[in-house]
Amino acid sequence: MSSSSPVEPLDTTGPSGESKPADSPLEIYRHSSAHLLAAAVTELFPDAQCGIGPPTDEGFFYDFLVDRPFTPEDLAAIEKRMAHIVRQDRPIERKLMPKPEALELFARKGQTLKCELIREKSGDPVQCYTMGEFIDFCLGPHLPSTGRIKAFKLKPEPAAAYWKGREGNPSMQRIYGYAFFTREELEEHLFRLEEAKRRDHRKLGRELDLFSIADETGAGLVLWHPKGGFVRKQIEDYWRDEHLKGGYDLVYTPHIARLDLWKTSGHTDYYRANMYSPIDIENVEYQLKPMNCPFHLTIYKSRLRSYRDLPYRWAELGTVYRFERSGVLHGLMRVRGFTQDDAHIFCRPDQIEEEILRVLDFVTSILHTFGFDRYDIYLSTKPEKAAGTDEQWEVATAALRKALEARALPYQVDPGEGVFYGPKIDIKIKDALDRSWQCSTIQVDFNNPNRFQLEYIGEDGKAHQPVMIHRALLGSLERFFGILIEHHAGAFPVWLAPVQAVVVPVTERHQAYAREVADQLAALGVRVHVDDRSEKLGYRIREAQVQKVPYMLVVGDKEVEGRTVSVRHRHAGDLGASDVAVFGQRVCRLAAERAVREEAPPQKPGGVT
């Protein structure tokens, strides 16, 4: 089945790839570091053509057109030359020149890509910045000299990038670098990067046997293995239970629908690039669903509704399918098929703010259970391409703003980043490494109820149009699972852990007691496994630690005699002896409470800790 191509984005970058002149000390510092990189490359590789080199959130990058890919040895030499230029403390100076003169200068240097940018983007005169012999067409501003750049580091491998980001254009070599004001900040960042590698959900997914993505089934399509499937079950059970407690009803909808449904919803007009090609079924076009909302709208429309019955809160763990280019697919974080923890609330206009407040409270409660208590919140306003009237957008935006302020939640306005049918609140959680992840969203929609001609009979006996609130708490189960793996480094809280305890007999003569302990714990509800392989004791304990099992229960002569277990915790180490029942009851209590972290060590027999 072929898929449609996304619309080519407009090129809105500045001459060096920046979207605007650098306007903060850190941006200026990092943009100057990008020029430092380009100067070093052109000195070592005179035939290299410079593309663009903007600052980034971590440092900078610069694209180069070269005859062969850069090697790690090349990058080491480039970094060494950058340090040399810093020691020289070369001035960085702004220079204005007539456009014909600038074109002649860059052509003489063999920088035809820069000539192309000057023709496309520059007025007359052309603004450039020099760094010794190196010169770049740039918005600036920059540091006074290279000696001000104190701490930088290049990534050890280059990446590939198309010129101007468009397929079919020349393939460039993109060199990334990190830049910070101090060596200490840089070292801290590099440490976090190493920790991120250790926590990478793709790596841990293989090691812990949680999930896989296979060429045989297709890129971006996730296979959940038994252990990962169990964690997903725990998440889903909790999700459903909390929704039922919170006044939601559960609904289920198909994976495909007639294409006409997506025409009515507006997705074929506004979202076509992310939809797969239609499927012909008996001469009728059907569509793999990219969203669940049109189905919920259709359910609402199935019978007459009264103002007394509103709001309706309908939730679904609905699997959707969206086209993503293969180059952007990334483990569980960017996939082509995923299960969205979706819900839609149909309410009267006077109920909007109250329902948003309920959702905000629900979001913070749910995320707290999984160990997320820090967020960045954004209020996204009307985009350039939008449906509905200005008045509807103003009412919806005001309701979201009032709800955030009523809960005293700090937020930033993200201009023009709303969806085509309405404004939204985006909640980006902070993980253990202080990285932000988009998960929860709340969106107010006047447009779809109008497109689907939804009505309710008001107190006045007349037909009125309801308001629709779209909301997701976790975002998608796949992506949230990836975030959860990395946040906890694969060491899931006890309530989520597929195996909560491993019983490890010291020798073969302790195996019978180990199985007795396992049976007793299983009867209490503990998820337990006996590792009675012939491997050495230390190996089996290390194996359980590698598998991130919360507790290892060692049983030898002393434990058999005292009818106890020797408890080792995956983080805290040796916790001493414990009565089997006391240990089991404690694990069950932690699981029932959905504790994010384990508490104090279990008691030894006789109540001694």
Side-chain angles (χ1 to χ4, degrees):
M1 181 175 63
S2 63
S3 56
S4 60
S5 298
V7 177
E8 196 71 64
L10 294 173
D11 181 10
T12 58
T13 59
S16 285
E18 65 275 56
S19 58
K20 57 180 175 53
D23 61 1
S24 73
L26 189 56
E27 269 195 346
I28 293 169
Y29 183 90
R30 287 171 170 168
H31 198 180
S32 300
S33 300
H35 280 223
L36 174 65
L37 166 62
V41 168
T42 53
E43 289 180 13
L44 292 174
F45 302 90
D47 293 332
Q49 286 202 49
C50 297
I52 60 172
T56 67
D57 290 341
E58 298 178 324
F60 56 91
F61 72 77
Y62 215 113
D63 292 343
F64 301 96
L65 185 60
V66 287
D67 293 336
R68 62 166 179 81
F70 290 119
T71 66
E73 292 75 20
D74 292 334
L75 294 183
I78 292 167
E79 189 174 292
K80 185 175 180 181
R81 178 58 66 97
M82 291 171 70
H84 172 71
I85 297 172
V86 167
R87 288 192 297 272
Q88 288 183 321
D89 195 20
R90 295 181 189 174
I92 305 175
E93 298 176 328
R94 180 170 174 264
K95 183 174 183 180
L96 297 175
M97 62 181 74
K99 196 167 185 175
E101 182 182 328
L103 288 168
E104 181 185 351
L105 172 66
F106 282 98
R108 190 166 65 247
K109 288 177 173 288
Q111 297 292 334
T112 58
L113 298 181
K114 289 294 178 183
C115 292
E116 183 178 328
L117 288 177
I118 291 170
R119 292 190 191 98
E120 290 178 358
K121 296 178 177 291
S122 180
D124 197 354
V126 178
Q127 177 173 288
C128 298
Y129 281 84
T130 63
M131 184 184 289
E133 293 297 315
F134 176 74
I135 185 169
D136 204 353
F137 168 42
C138 180
L139 292 177
H142 286 282
L143 297 173
S145 67
T146 60
R148 304 290 184 94
I149 302 173
K150 301 297 183 183
F152 62 86
K153 181 73 177 175
L154 298 184
K155 281 190 178 182
E157 298 286 347
Y162 290 111
W163 172 234
K164 297 181 179 177
R166 297 193 184 104
E167 290 184 27
N169 281 353
S171 180
M172 313 282 286
Q173 286 280 287
R174 175 168 294 179
I175 299 177
Y176 284 97
Y178 310 109
F180 292 86
F181 287 132
T182 67
R183 176 60 57 179
E184 291 75 18
E185 289 176 295
L186 176 62
E187 292 298 333
E188 173 65 19
H189 183 72
L190 295 176
F191 170 79
R192 286 178 180 270
L193 291 175
E194 287 303 312
E195 184 64 14
K197 288 181 184 178
R198 187 179 74 84
R199 292 169 178 258
D200 191 315
H201 73 281
R202 297 166 298 178
K203 170 179 173 289
L204 291 172
R206 290 190 302 271
E207 293 174 356
L208 303 179
D209 196 21
L210 299 171
F211 72 92
S212 62
I213 298 172
D215 290 339
E216 296 91 329
T217 54
L221 302 173
V222 180
L223 302 173
W224 293 75
H225 296 199
K227 287 183 179 179
F230 179 84
V231 178
R232 174 169 174 159
K233 173 196 174 296
Q234 294 294 90
I235 295 171
E236 289 189 3
D237 288 350
Y238 168 65
W239 186 92
R240 290 191 177 95
D241 289 345
E242 291 303 302
H243 277 77
L244 292 173
K245 290 177 190 175
Y248 287 78
D249 294 305
L250 303 180
V251 297
Y252 296 85
T253 60
H255 289 243
I256 63 171
R258 293 172 65 114
L259 182 63
D260 288 346
L261 186 68
W262 310 104
K263 293 178 180 177
T264 302
S265 68
H267 283 91
T268 52
D269 296 328
Y270 294 94
Y271 208 73
R272 192 71 190 93
N274 297 90
M275 296 167 64
Y276 284 99
S277 298
I279 305 166
D280 184 276
I281 301 176
E282 297 179 342
N283 298 320
V284 176
E285 287 187 314
Y286 281 74
Q287 178 68 49
L288 275 172
K289 66 174 177 178
M291 301 283 188
N292 299 303
C293 18
F295 293 98
H296 295 192
L297 287 151
T298 307
I299 293 173
Y300 182 98
K301 199 175 178 181
S302 65
R303 68 177 180 84
L304 189 64
R305 310 285 175 176
S306 166
Y307 75 96
R308 294 187 183 90
D309 300 324
L310 271 61
Y312 291 100
R313 305 181 189 100
W314 293 336
E316 176 181 16
L317 291 171
T319 301
V320 298
Y321 304 89
R322 300 180 188 175
F323 171 71
E324 298 280 4
R325 289 178 179 270
S326 57
V328 303
L329 296 174
H330 180 76
L332 297 174
M333 305 304 192
R334 198 80 176 262
V335 294
R336 288 174 171 164
F338 58 90
T339 301
Q340 197 166 33
D341 78 311
D342 222 347
H344 296 95
I345 300 166
F346 299 90
C347 63
R348 304 188 307 265
D350 62 289
Q351 296 172 320
I352 296 175
E353 190 174 337
E354 179 186 349
E355 289 303 310
I356 294 171
L357 286 170
R358 287 174 60 98
V359 175
L360 284 174
D361 294 340
F362 200 5
V363 166
T364 53
S365 172
I366 290 280
L367 295 179
H368 173 77
T369 302
F370 291 100
F372 299 104
D373 293 306
R374 298 180 301 130
Y375 339 94
D376 289 325
I377 301 177
Y378 297 86
L379 174 59
S380 301
T381 58
K382 185 178 180 180
E384 185 175 335
K385 191 175 182 182
T389 67
D390 288 341
E391 181 182 0
Q392 288 173 332
W393 276 84
E394 288 168 7
V395 169
T397 305
L400 292 170
R401 190 188 305 273
K402 285 180 182 178
L404 288 169
E405 292 172 354
R407 288 293 181 264
L409 292 170
Y411 66 92
Q412 301 176 47
V413 175
D414 204 355
E417 290 303 311
V419 284
F420 72 85
Y421 51 74
K424 61 177 179 170
I425 292 172
D426 285 328
I427 299 177
K428 299 183 180 181
I429 59 176
K430 291 288 192 75
D431 69 7
L433 296 182
D434 209 35
R435 299 172 299 181
S436 292
W437 301 97
Q438 172 64 58
C439 288
S440 311
T441 187
I442 308 168
Q443 305 166 359
V444 180
D445 183 1
F446 288 92
N447 176 59
N448 269 302
N450 180 56
R451 296 181 75 102
F452 279 80
Q453 299 180 334
L454 302 192
E455 294 179 344
Y456 67 89
I457 303 303
E459 194 172 5
D460 58 2
K462 297 179 181 179
H464 298 267
Q465 182 177 295
V467 179
M468 184 180 187
I469 298 174
H470 308 246
R471 55 109 284 211
L473 305 181
L474 308 180
S476 81
L477 293 186
E478 285 75 6
R479 190 162 182 271
F480 186 75
F481 188 45
I483 296 167
L484 202 63
I485 292 170
E486 298 198 0
H487 180 61
H488 293 288
F492 298 113
V494 167
W495 74 278
L496 288 173
V499 177
Q500 295 169 325
V502 170
V503 186
V504 187
V506 175
T507 67
E508 187 175 347
R509 70 175 182 274
H510 305 118
Q511 290 178 0
Y513 179 65
R515 287 189 286 272
E516 182 183 329
V517 167
D519 290 343
Q520 186 177 349
L521 292 174
L524 291 171
V526 178
R527 298 187 290 275
V528 62
H529 168 68
V530 177
D531 187 351
D532 56 4
R533 294 174 296 170
S534 58
E535 305 287 351
K536 291 182 178 179
L537 177 65
Y539 175 86
R540 285 177 285 153
I541 291 174
R542 284 194 299 275
E543 180 69 13
Q545 289 174 326
V546 167
Q547 290 300 306
K548 315 289 186 179
V549 178
Y551 295 100
M552 292 131 276
L553 309 178
V554 179
V555 294
D557 291 338
K558 185 171 64 173
E559 288 74 28
V560 171
E561 182 180 351
R563 314 305 288 174
T564 63
V565 289
S566 180
V567 182
R568 291 182 62 86
H569 185 261
R570 60 188 169 190
H571 300 314
D574 187 3
L575 301 182
S578 174
D579 176 81
V580 177
V582 169
F583 171 80
Q585 289 163 3
R586 179 175 176 278
V587 171
C588 291
R589 176 174 57 79
L590 289 170
E593 293 173 353
R594 296 190 176 90
V596 176
R597 296 173 184 83
E598 291 79 41
E599 298 173 358
Q603 287 188 335
K604 296 181 181 179
V608 179
T609 59

